[in-house]
Amino acid sequence: MRSRNRRRAENQVWTAAGAYDFAPAFLAFHVDGTPDAYLNAIVGFTHRFYDAAALRDYLASLGSSLLVDTFTDLCWLALESAVYPQAVRCSPALPQLREAHARRYLCDLRAVDVSLQQRMLQAGVVQTLKTARCREVLGEPLRLYHPWDRRLYAALSLPPERDTALLIRRMDEVLRHYFVFRWTNHLRQAMHIALPAWLHAVLRRLLPVRRVQDDTPRRTGGSGTDVGTAGAEGQRGLRLRAGGDWRRVLASFGAPYFPEGQRARFEEEICVGAHQRTHIFYARAGAGQAARALNTSFYQAHRAVYRTAARKLAAQVRNTLAVWRQPLLVPARTGRFTSAWAWRGACELDGRLFASSEERPRSDFDVTLLLDASASRESQQALIAAQAYTLAEGLMRAGLRVQVWSFASVERVTALTVLKAFGARQADGIFAYEARGWNRDGLALRALRPLLPAGRRQLVLCLTDAHPGDAFGLLPEGRTLAQAYMGKAAVRDAAAGCRALRRAGVRIVGLVNSVFPEEATQEAAREIFGTAFLCLRSPQDIARRAGAVIERELRR
Amino acid sequence: MEEWLEATLGAELRRDLASWRNEYPWTGTRALPSPVYRYHGREIFEAAVAALLAGEHLLLVGPKATGKNVLAENLAAAFGRPMFNVSLHINTDAAYLIGTDTFRAGEVQFRPGPVYESAAVGGFCVFDEINMARNEALAVLHSLLDHRRLLEVPGSGQLAVHPAARFLATMNEGYAGTRELNEALASRFLVLRLPPFDETGLAALLGDALPQLSNEGREVLVALFLALTEKSRAGEISSRAVDLRGLLAAVRLIARGVAPWRALTMGLIDKCIEAEERELAGDVLALYVTQETSAQLFFA
């Protein structure tokens, strides 16, 4: 999940840029991880005043150099000097922000307990020039003692050119003049050479460079998001031989949610009839870093849309709670005359002869999101996690109690995994949602019953593709041969599971999103959920259509 | 008033308005509205005046602080009629609008509501946030608003609506507590959608509210407000900080000696409920005003 500091930094860039339609390629943070408001504003103003794509391409082209980080830092030093005089016309507070940034930078430099290696790096050209810039801002002596440093500093103090090509040319000239080896140059400390990319790659492998944390704007991922560990296999795709140890399968789902005795009792009640010789398991979500990284990355890439959907859903539900309230008549001094109370006025006991109505909001039901986590959902794993997170967030913001479970079936074990419990204040656990195995929907729906608290109305929203299936078949009563848990038989069993929940007073609605052909999906969904299902095609559907489901439930 | 009408209305409309005012002069005791702010959108104002001259009623729709109530007040002042404000809410019922029975001098008496009074004397009745009331409660207005122009009051007979009476309604869409307006009721109004303030409109409004505001200060406030608006449109913050009333109140506080950063935080930033949202909105403020910024920036 995008961190608070990162979100703040991005917003600082967007505010200065006056645009929100791009992912900032550079963000600046202080050594303690808090965003640097001044430098992020400079990044934003750079985007506003110049051709951002051209600048980005130029800075990316520096990647062929061994000194890419140094060059990038120096370019930003130059950009800051060019952008600041123009930006200060748009932002009257920028001078104060600049001074605060300079003071903070110098203070951090003195205060931070750094290693010897970092101290040596601090003595390098970038830190020297940045320190000089901060001193200049504060009106202090620059303390640039080396003539080379003074010349470079002067060269990087670019005038406020609006021409992007000219600006890039100036920066490039400075870098070439001071950092490309020519025998006529007077070098500062060592030779710095621009290398071909292949040699650069070889040398980086032999001579790994360790970065020092400072507040120069740093490159984000290619899409502006943090680069995670997406693509790692992790525990995905559990493969078991036929007849594998089912206890080993249980362990693969994560730590147990219930004590074994309680789980066994549930299993004894639920795994009967056509589901005999199967097992159920209730798990807490495991580490699943790969899935979490992938889901989080997807959500971040589309956060604006999903966050807006969550906000709209919350507003819609709150609105419904406010609107659909039950009237309560109370005695009052004005209102509708109530003849039965007229005696009060006649006897001069009480002037409240009229009835006035007060109304109270109702939210006496809980919401459970049940996510089909079978392998058929793998291609939409991130999308489903984002949808579920948006739903949960929206409903929680509206004050409803929400829990989120996923289910999958492996080797005769149908496991329900808690992604968000009722008591959890954050819904981030939903991003641990991982698709694998089969989906024995009928059993999963029956197994959901113990998780629904008594005494309150329950609404279950099932995110599914309406295509149940399991490798282990159905064993109907009185038969010796199992029937494959596929196709119509599986759909019928899932429908039976829904009916069982409804008999217990639970309202269940299918939120269907499938990669299978729409006609077949709708037919299956109709059989499983009756008329209580709807198709989610876009994030906007979450607010509008799921919100309508909640509204209908509140009005019941 | 006449100068402002000359700047805001075309000659023909001004003539028709003057003729209408001569036909329906106000002779009652209730004070006529004296607007603090003038509505500056010429196109919108002309359309509104034309609609009211034609005997129609108006539904003004737009986000908060787009000048709906300012426009209604200016219209009442331009037409020279008293204004009756009815703030609607979820518990509004017909009795609240039309009137209710009360016990006085030992007997039950009818106490007329604002709608009844306005219809009787020919006032301009403004239903504020009309879509917060239940449609069942608003159904009593149907006969008032259509060709019948009459009101049936159980136990008190029938009231014929004064020919000068007009009904205006204001409405936000999608805000907490609002609902969809009943189609039958909506069809009895002409709808004017008020756009959010742009840079020019904001500057004019600030100039009206505080003529002593410096040019530089006005530019800073306009830029700050538009930056918050843009951030809300991008979905990064809610619309709570985009509060024009809060902005005007903050500037009045600055005029009274409160530090600009404190005043603008009170008027805009602290309207956000979530701490993270306050941080984001506060970062916008930090680009324009710091804790060291003095009031001299705004009032030279």
Side-chain angles (χ1 to χ4, degrees), chain A residues 344-374:
Chain A
R344 296 186 202 218
C347 299
E348 295 182 338
L349 285 177
D350 190 348
R352 291 179 299 166
L353 318 181
F354 306 91
S356 171
S357 80
E358 282 182 22
E359 292 188 326
R360 303 282 158 79
R362 298 166 56 205
S363 62
D364 57 350
F365 68 93
D366 301 328
V367 180
T368 299
L369 300 184
L370 183 65
L371 314 185
D372 174 350
S374 61

Side-chain angles (χ1 to χ4, degrees), chain A residues 38-55:
Chain A
Y38 172 68
L39 284 183
N40 286 323
I42 291 296
V43 172
F45 282 122
T46 304
H47 188 276
R48 184 193 285 217
F49 298 138
Y50 297 102
D51 181 347
L55 274 174

Side-chain angles (χ1 to χ4, degrees), chain A residues 2 4 7-8 11-12 14-15 20 90-93 96-97 307 311 319 322-323 325 334-335 353-354 359, chain B residues 90-91 100-103 111 134 177-179 220 231 234-236 276 279-280 283 286-290:
Chain A
R2 185 171 61 145
R4 189 162 163 162
R7 187 179 170 210
R8 235 183 125 181
N11 270 275
Q12 287 166 349
W14 287 328
T15 305
Y20 290 79
C90 306
S91 166
Q96 286 102 324
L97 283 180
R307 285 183 58 243
R311 195 172 279 136
N319 187 36
V323 162
R325 301 186 295 178
T334 60
L353 318 181
F354 306 91
E359 292 188 326
Chain B
I90 188 70
N91 289 328
T100 185
D101 293 327
T102 188
F103 198 65
R111 188 188 69 182
R134 275 186 298 215
T178 63
R179 59 175 73 224
V220 166
K231 195 168 285 290
E236 294 296 321
E276 198 175 330
E279 259 177 10
L280 297 181
D283 286 343
L287 264 192
Y288 298 96
V289 168
T290 68

Side-chain angles (χ1 to χ4, degrees), chain A residues 299-382:
Chain A
Y299 182 84
Q300 284 189 33
H302 301 89
R303 63 185 174 281
V305 170
Y306 283 111
R307 285 183 58 243
T308 302
R311 195 172 279 136
K312 283 187 177 172
L313 175 61
Q316 194 174 348
V317 173
R318 269 192 231 113
N319 187 36
T320 306
L321 283 170
V323 162
W324 293 102
R325 301 186 295 178
Q326 295 302 314
L328 181 69
L329 292 180
V330 295
R333 295 186 191 284
T334 60
R336 191 176 306 137
F337 178 68
T338 306
S339 54
W341 298 338
W343 61 271
R344 296 186 202 218
C347 299
E348 295 182 338
L349 285 177
D350 190 348
R352 291 179 299 166
L353 318 181
F354 306 91
S356 171
S357 80
E358 282 182 22
E359 292 188 326
R360 303 282 158 79
R362 298 166 56 205
S363 62
D364 57 350
F365 68 93
D366 301 328
V367 180
T368 299
L369 300 184
L370 183 65
L371 314 185
D372 174 350
S374 61
S376 64
R377 308 288 265 161
E378 194 174 329
S379 62
Q380 296 189 302
Q381 176 182 295

